Amino acid sequence: FPWVCGMRKAMEIMLTGDNMTGTEAAKCGWATRVVPDAELEKATLDLAQRVAKIPSDLLAYNKRSVHRAMEAKGMRTHLRSGTDLQALSFHSSSSRQFMKQFTGRGNSASKAFSKRDAKFGDNRVVDPKKAQEANRKAATPRSNL
C-alpha cells in the first residue's frame, strides 16, 4: 500500500497500527471519498449510475490501464513479497505467544485484542459503552466509498 498513501504514511501505519477515520482514509488515498452513513446508499448508487453510462468495453480498458500503471510501480511484486513477510511474521516468537490466547471458546479473540491494544489508550479496545460514546463524539462521518 505505500504506492497509495506514500512511504512515510505507510510506515507510520505499519509501525503504529493506528486506525483512521473515513476522512483520514480519504485524505491519504485509502478511500476515494467520505459520506455520512445516512447518505451512503444514495452516494453509492449515484456513482454506480455514472460508471454505468460508460460502455463496458471501454471501462475494461480503463480499468486495465490503471492496473498496468500500478504494476509498473511495483504493486504486484510488493503484494507477493508482503505476503511472504506476513507469513514469516506469524512464526515469530511474539506472534506465537499472542496466538496462544485464542482458545476458540467464546470471545477469546476480542479479549486478546482488547488486552493487547489497551496500552495505546485509543478506540481500539472493544468496550460497548466506550464504543457508543466514541461514536456519539465522532464529528466526522465514518462511511466511505
Side-chain angles (χ1 to χ4, degrees):
F1 63 89
W3 57 87
V4 174
C5 60
M7 184 191 87
R8 287 180 174 79
K9 185 65 176 174
M11 187 67 75
E12 178 185 337
I13 292 167
M14 291 299 292
L15 295 180
T16 65
D18 286 350
N19 54 16
M20 63 181 89
T21 65
T23 301
E24 292 167 332
K27 185 177 178 181
C28 79
W30 275 99
T32 57
R33 68 188 71 162
V34 179
V35 297
D37 289 341
E39 298 172 25
L40 180 59
E41 184 174 0
K42 180 183 181 323
T44 302
L45 291 173
D46 289 348
L47 180 62
Q49 289 170 349
R50 285 180 49 88
V51 171
K53 293 177 182 180
I54 310 286
S56 61
D57 56 340
L58 295 179
L59 285 175
Y61 286 119
N62 291 341
K63 184 177 175 182
R64 187 68 195 131
S65 175
V66 172
H67 285 177
R68 280 190 179 176
M70 296 311 291
E71 288 173 14
K73 291 177 76 173
M75 183 178 82
R76 187 178 303 266
T77 301
H78 171 78
L79 289 173
R80 286 187 182 133
S81 64
T83 302
D84 293 348
L85 291 172
Q86 185 67 34
L88 287 171
S89 75
F90 279 114
H91 297 286
S92 71
S93 60
S94 297
S95 288
R96 287 194 316 270
Q97 191 67 26
F98 180 69
M99 295 304 258
K100 287 179 183 178
Q101 298 177 65
F102 294 90
T103 63
R105 292 182 223 105
N107 61 353
S108 63
S110 176
K111 286 179 183 177
F113 287 116
S114 290
K115 181 180 174 185
R116 181 197 68 185
D117 295 343
K119 62 185 167 197
F120 293 101
D122 59 12
N123 63 347
R124 300 180 215 209
V125 177
V126 180
D127 178 345
K129 289 181 183 178
K130 288 183 180 179
Q132 286 176 349
E133 181 66 23
N135 287 338
R136 277 196 299 271
K137 289 181 179 179
T140 56
R142 292 172 286 127
S143 300
N144 47 39
L145 296 176

